[in-house]
C-alpha cells in the first residue's frame, strides 16, 4: 500500500482555524482510495526531516506565530527548502502562508522571519482586519476551478515577480484587499489565506495536493474520482453565503 508522509509543523501553536480538518481530509481521501497518510508532528525545537511528501503549516495569532517564526527560519529552514526543491508539497495557510514568504511584520511592528519558499512579503496594517467569506477563480495544473473559504488576517501580502497568485478574487479581500490576488503558488508550494478549514469544501484542491504528494513519493497510483456529494454541497453553501451562486 502506498503511503504519503505528511509533516504537520507546529500543530500546538499553528492550528487556529480547524487546520487539523485539512489533514483529516487528506487522510480520508487517501483511505477511500486504499492509500494511507502517515502524519508526524514537528514542534518547537524538533529537527525537521526533509523526507516527507507534504509539509503543512497552519494559521496562528501573531504571538504564537512570532515564536514559531524564529524556530522555522532557524533550524528547520534548510530541510524545508531542500524538501520543496525536491518537489515535496508545502501548504501554508494564513499565518503559515506569511511564514513561507520572506517574512511578516506583525501588528506590533516586530519582524518575523520567513523561509522564502515563495517571493511574497507581508506587513500587518493597523486598519481593519480582512475578514469574511472568499471566492476565487483558482488556476492549478492547467485547470481553472472555483475555490471557497474564509479569511481573517491583519497582514497584507504582496507578491514579487517570482510567484503567481493561487487565484483571482471573485468575492472577499484576498492577499491585500487591493491587488485582486489571493494566495501564491510556486512549483508545489501553495500559500493561501483561506481557512475554515480549506480542504473539506474544496476537494479538487485536496486532490491536487495528493497528486503532487504521490508523485513525490514515487507512487504510480492514479487517484480515482470520489462521489464528493457532501463536499460539493459544502462548496456550494460557502459560495452562496458569500453571495455568489454558481
Ligand atoms: N496573525 C496573522 C494575521 O493576523 C495570521 C492570522 C491567521 O493565521 N488567521 O495576519
Amino acid at each position: 500500500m502506498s503511503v504519503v508522509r505528511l509533516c504537520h509543523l507546529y500543530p500546538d501553536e499553528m492550528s487556529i482555524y480547524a487546520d487539523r480538518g485539512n489533514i483529516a481530509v487528506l487522510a480520508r481521501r487517501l483511505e477511500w482510495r486504499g492509500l494511507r497518510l502517515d502524519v508526524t508532528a514537528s514542534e518547537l525545537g524538533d529537527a525537521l526531516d526533509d523526507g516527507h511528501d507534504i509539509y503543512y503549516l497552519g494559521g496562528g495569532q501573531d504571538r504564537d506565530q512570532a515564536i514559531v517564526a524564529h524556530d522555522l527560519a532557524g533550524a528547520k529552514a534548510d530541510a524545508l527548502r531542500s524538501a520543496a526543491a525536491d518537489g515535496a508539497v508545502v501548504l501554508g495557510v494564513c499565518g503559515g502562508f506569511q511564514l513561507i514568504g520572506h517574512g511578516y511584520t506583525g501588528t506590533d511592528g516586530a519582524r518575523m522571519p520567513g523561509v522564502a519558499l515563495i517571493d511574497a512579503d507581508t506587513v500587518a496594517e493597523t486598519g481593519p482586519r480582512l475578514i469574511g467569506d472568499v471566492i476565487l477563480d483558482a488556476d492549478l495544473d492547467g485547470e481553472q476551478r472555483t475555490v471557497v473559504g474564509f479569511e481573517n488576517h491583519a497582514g497584507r501580502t504582496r507578491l514579487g515577480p517570482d510567484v503567481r497568485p493561487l487565484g483571482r478574487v471573485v468575492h472577499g479581500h484576498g492577499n491585500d484587499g487591493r491587488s485582486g490576488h489571493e494566495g501564491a503558488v510556486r512549483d508545489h508550494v501553495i500559500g493561501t489565506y483561506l481557512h475554515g478549514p480549506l480542504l473539506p469544501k474544496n476537494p479538487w484542491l485536496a486532490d491536487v495536493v495528493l497528486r503532487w504528494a504521490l508523485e513525490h513519493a514515487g507512487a504510480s497510483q492514479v487517484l480515482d474520482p470520489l462521489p464528493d456529494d457532501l463536499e460539493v454541497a459544502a462548496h456550494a453553501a460557502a459560495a452562496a453565503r458569500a453571495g455568489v451562486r454558481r
Side-chain angles (χ1 to χ4, degrees):
M1 183 204 282
S2 288
V3 173
V4 171
R5 293 153 301 166
L6 180 144
C7 178
H8 190 177
L9 289 153
Y10 312 107
D12 287 350
E13 291 82 10
M14 302 288 281
S15 293
I16 201 171
Y17 280 97
D19 288 286
R20 287 183 174 86
N22 286 325
I23 294 169
V25 165
L26 295 174
R28 212 63 177 115
R29 295 186 75 79
L30 284 175
E31 262 168 54
W32 281 329
R33 280 123 160 176
L35 306 170
R36 201 176 83 220
L37 187 73
D38 268 2
V39 181
T40 310
S42 185
E43 283 291 359
L44 290 171
D46 291 346
L48 188 63
D49 171 358
D50 66 1
H52 298 274
D53 305 306
I54 306 175
Y55 293 81
Y56 183 86
L57 180 58
Q61 311 260 13
D62 278 20
R63 200 183 45 241
D64 292 323
Q65 217 177 316
I67 299 170
V68 308
H70 294 277
D71 187 75
L72 185 69
K76 291 185 175 68
D78 284 349
L80 194 57
R81 287 195 197 109
S82 111
D86 187 48
V89 182
V90 180
L91 179 57
V93 174
C94 204
F97 171 28
Q98 297 167 345
L99 295 186
I100 60 171
H102 298 297
Y104 170 47
T105 305
T107 44
D108 65 358
R111 181 73 173 168
M112 303 172 206
V115 287
L117 296 181
I118 50 172
D119 187 11
D121 194 77
T122 306
V123 177
E125 277 185 14
T126 47
R129 292 181 71 82
L130 303 181
I131 301 176
D133 293 301
V134 185
I135 299 191
L136 309 181
D137 278 338
D139 195 344
L140 276 182
D141 268 359
E143 257 186 282
Q144 259 229 334
R145 294 288 185 104
T146 302
V147 170
V148 293
F150 187 83
E151 62 183 331
N152 182 352
H153 50 108
R156 270 63 169 175
T157 301
R158 295 302 178 96
L159 303 186
D162 291 340
V163 71
R164 63 183 181 83
L166 170 63
R168 187 182 63 79
V169 176
V170 176
H171 180 92
H173 303 287
N175 286 348
D176 60 359
R178 289 180 276 267
S179 61
H181 292 161
E182 205 294 317
V185 182
R186 189 180 62 85
D187 301 325
H188 290 177
V189 180
I190 302 178
T192 178
Y193 275 112
L194 301 191
H195 43 55
L198 168 72
L199 297 179
K201 45 190 178 286
N202 294 294
W204 165 75
L205 190 54
D207 279 355
V208 170
V209 167
L210 291 176
R211 233 178 15 242
W212 289 350
L214 284 166
E215 198 181 302
H216 181 260
S220 54
Q221 270 93 350
V222 173
L223 289 175
D224 296 326
L226 294 170
D228 283 338
D229 296 351
L230 281 175
E231 292 80 355
V232 168
H235 182 104
R241 201 174 53 217
V244 178
R245 296 187 191 280
R246 303 226 156 183

